Amino acid sequence: MNKIVKLTLFLLFIAALSGFLLAYVNGSTAPIIAKAQAADLINGYKEIFPTAEEIVESSIKSDAPEILLINEAKISGKTVGVIYKVATSGYGGKNTFLVAFDLEKQQITGVKILTHTETPGLGAKATEKWFTNRFIGKTTTEDLLIVKKSTEKTNEVEAITAATITSKSIAKGINIAREHFIANFTK
């Protein structure tokens, strides 16, 4: 019986020490991770709206839970585009990405996947340029549709083979952002 108590106390000590060490490491790396994520976000803005001189948080907000952040792209102080940070559910979990709209042309200027939990080799292909570039130049006048075969209409985007759920997740987020863009930034 005495041996059981000693082993129990030893295991409790090890568990408490492990918990303390994990909390310490988490606390010391959290600012580094946050700084890296902020840098990724800024680089994403530059990638999907490269002509913008500055990106500022918009005063216009959204009630849609998928829209996490709205920024305005400006040139010489004038808003020329809008960049949304969106999160939607895909096959493996949340997909967080940026989508930018040009105010004058009423088109998508870029899509950048920030984080995902999709299947490697399938849904994870959503991060690749050949897929995200399929959205560039699409008009904001109608919802985007994901199709499995070659696109025939201007609002259609070809899905990633064997990853239709991921493709639809991205299109859903873009469509939610597009609706907000049309309602709040166009005349």
Side-chain angles (χ1 to χ4, degrees):
M1 187 72 146
N2 194 18
K3 190 174 184 177
I4 293 174
V5 171
K6 285 181 182 180
L7 286 174
T8 302
L9 290 174
F10 178 73
L11 285 175
L12 284 173
F13 172 75
I14 295 297
L17 181 63
S18 297
F20 172 76
L21 290 173
L22 282 172
Y24 173 76
V25 169
N26 183 52
S28 60
T29 59
I32 297 167
I33 293 170
K35 189 175 180 180
Q37 288 173 336
D40 286 347
L41 194 59
I42 290 168
N43 290 335
Y45 293 154
K46 290 177 184 176
E47 185 178 322
I48 65 172
F49 213 108
T51 59
E53 293 172 353
E54 70 175 322
I55 306 291
V56 297
E57 189 169 341
S58 179
S59 60
I60 299 172
K61 303 299 176 201
S62 172
D63 293 332
E66 295 87 357
I67 297 177
L68 306 177
L69 186 63
I70 305 168
N71 289 295
E72 295 179 24
K74 296 185 178 256
I75 296 177
S76 299
K78 180 183 174 198
T79 301
V80 294
V82 183
I83 303 173
Y84 290 86
K85 182 178 178 184
V86 183
T88 54
S89 294
Y91 181 76
K94 286 283 184 200
N95 294 313
T96 305
F97 58 95
L98 299 173
V99 58
F101 299 96
D102 184 286
L103 203 51
E104 183 182 327
K105 295 178 182 175
Q106 302 286 302
Q107 293 179 340
I108 297 170
T109 63
V111 175
K112 168 88 173 153
I113 309 299
L114 298 173
T115 62
H116 70 89
T117 53
E118 300 299 333
T119 308
L122 294 172
K125 290 181 180 180
T127 61
E128 297 175 12
K129 283 274 193 204
W130 62 264
F131 177 69
T132 57
N133 284 348
R134 291 178 179 180
F135 295 95
I136 295 174
K138 296 291 183 183
T139 182
T140 60
T141 57
E142 53 189 343
D143 275 346
L144 296 178
L145 302 173
I146 297 297
V147 296
K148 292 183 180 183
K149 303 263 186 219
S150 297
T151 60
E152 295 177 12
K153 298 178 183 172
T154 58
N155 68 324
E156 293 179 337
V157 177
E158 190 174 347
I160 300 169
T161 303
T164 309
I165 295 172
T166 302
S167 302
K168 286 182 178 179
S169 165
I170 304 301
K172 177 184 175 186
I174 292 171
N175 284 329
I176 291 168
R178 183 194 63 78
E179 289 172 13
H180 185 273
F181 174 76
I182 293 295
N184 294 281
F185 292 97
T186 61
K187 295 175 180 137

